[in-house]
Amino acid sequence: MSTVKAGPDGQQLLQLDDEQLITLVARGNRDAFDEVYRRFSKQIYNFVKKQVQDREAAEDITQEVFLRLYRAAAHFDPARQLSSYLYKIAVNETRRHFQKLAGTQVLSLNEPIGSDDANRERADAVADASVADEAAEGRLTTGYLRGLIDRLPHEQREVVLLKVYSERTFEEIARIVDAPLSTVLSRMRYAIQKLRRWMEEQGIEEDELRKG
């Protein structure tokens, strides 16, 4: 990695915020790009690795994420959060990876789940908001549950990973995965339902997991 050098305005790159850095990247400043990579590459790699379960594939996808960022830097909207933008690219690249493995298009779950009635959908979204408390209390962070999370369908797993391990808000996740907020909340709810069912089948109590 290049050593940190003063930017055009004389500030050290380490002192610049993300939006200032990406502006420099758009102007072709490679040191600014190196600093963006330093700040975000580990979390993006960990997010991808938890999904693909393959170190080499995760490294390749992470490199592709930052390559796409570099190419698109000139078009980046400074009003957006850079980390969310990177996660969005990571989600798309991970989906592309699974599409290649399967040789078919991944089934889209972007349509709201359940009744067509708009009032029912809004009611479901309000009920699902309690899922945030589940994640915040750390109930999905034990080693045992991490193994169960790997068994979830991809669309549900990516929401859980973004919420619990990457600490994104549900609103951010909706933007990252290009799905309505109600769909994101439904995916999280169904994921927790499955995790609880699997725990019950194996005789594991939630209180035991919290102690672990």
Side-chain angles (χ1 to χ4, degrees):
M1 180 183 300
S2 304
T3 57
V4 175
K5 299 177 181 178
D9 56 1
Q11 291 181 289
Q12 292 291 319
L13 292 180
L14 284 173
Q15 297 173 330
L16 300 181
D17 61 29
D18 298 339
E19 288 69 29
Q20 291 171 314
L21 280 175
I22 198 64
T23 298
L24 292 178
V25 173
R27 297 173 185 169
N29 188 310
R30 183 54 188 263
D31 288 340
F33 176 75
D34 288 345
E35 175 61 15
V36 171
Y37 187 86
R38 185 193 69 79
R39 291 185 188 184
F40 296 105
S41 60
K42 184 175 181 180
Q43 58 185 278
I44 294 298
Y45 169 81
N46 288 337
F47 169 68
V48 173
K49 174 73 159 46
K50 285 185 176 74
Q51 296 189 75
V52 302
Q53 297 295 307
D54 180 272
R55 180 182 60 80
E56 185 174 347
E59 290 175 349
D60 289 344
I61 292 172
T62 300
Q63 293 299 319
E64 184 64 26
V65 167
F66 284 91
L67 178 59
R68 287 184 177 274
L69 173 68
Y70 186 78
R71 290 172 174 169
H75 306 289
F76 179 76
D77 180 359
R80 302 181 67 178
Q81 188 176 24
L82 180 56
S83 60
S84 293
Y85 184 64
L86 284 167
Y87 275 109
K88 185 177 182 66
I89 300 174
V91 164
N92 290 336
E93 290 303 311
T94 302
R95 289 174 176 176
R96 193 170 288 116
H97 167 78
F98 285 120
Q99 288 171 7
K100 289 179 180 177
L101 287 181
T104 57
Q105 292 293 318
V106 175
L107 176 64
S108 172
L109 294 183
N110 285 351
E111 292 302 319
I113 299 172
S115 170
D116 291 333
D117 180 69
N119 291 328
R120 172 64 180 277
E121 181 179 317
R122 284 194 292 271
D124 285 345
V126 170
D128 290 344
S130 63
V131 168
D133 293 332
E134 297 273 352
E137 291 176 14
R139 298 179 183 178
L140 303 180
T141 58
T142 67
Y144 179 82
L145 272 178
R146 282 195 293 269
L148 293 183
I149 289 170
D150 292 341
R151 295 171 52 188
L152 291 169
H154 177 69
E155 290 83 1
Q156 294 173 16
R157 185 169 68 249
E158 68 183 7
V159 169
V160 171
L161 293 175
L162 284 166
K163 179 61 183 175
V164 179
Y165 295 100
S166 300
E167 299 182 341
R168 304 285 105 181
T169 67
F170 284 120
E171 289 78 9
E172 285 180 297
I173 294 172
R175 291 192 293 269
I176 289 169
V177 302
D178 281 326
L181 177 60
S182 59
T183 300
V184 168
L185 292 169
S186 292
R187 291 177 186 177
M188 189 73 172
R189 183 188 69 210
Y190 288 130
I192 287 181
Q193 288 175 348
K194 287 180 181 178
L195 292 171
R196 283 176 171 159
R197 184 175 71 249
W198 291 337
M199 288 161 53
E200 290 173 0
E201 290 173 354
Q202 299 187 37
I204 303 297
E205 298 291 336
E206 288 188 52
D207 287 339
E208 295 179 37
L209 290 172
R210 294 190 199 116
K211 295 174 184 177

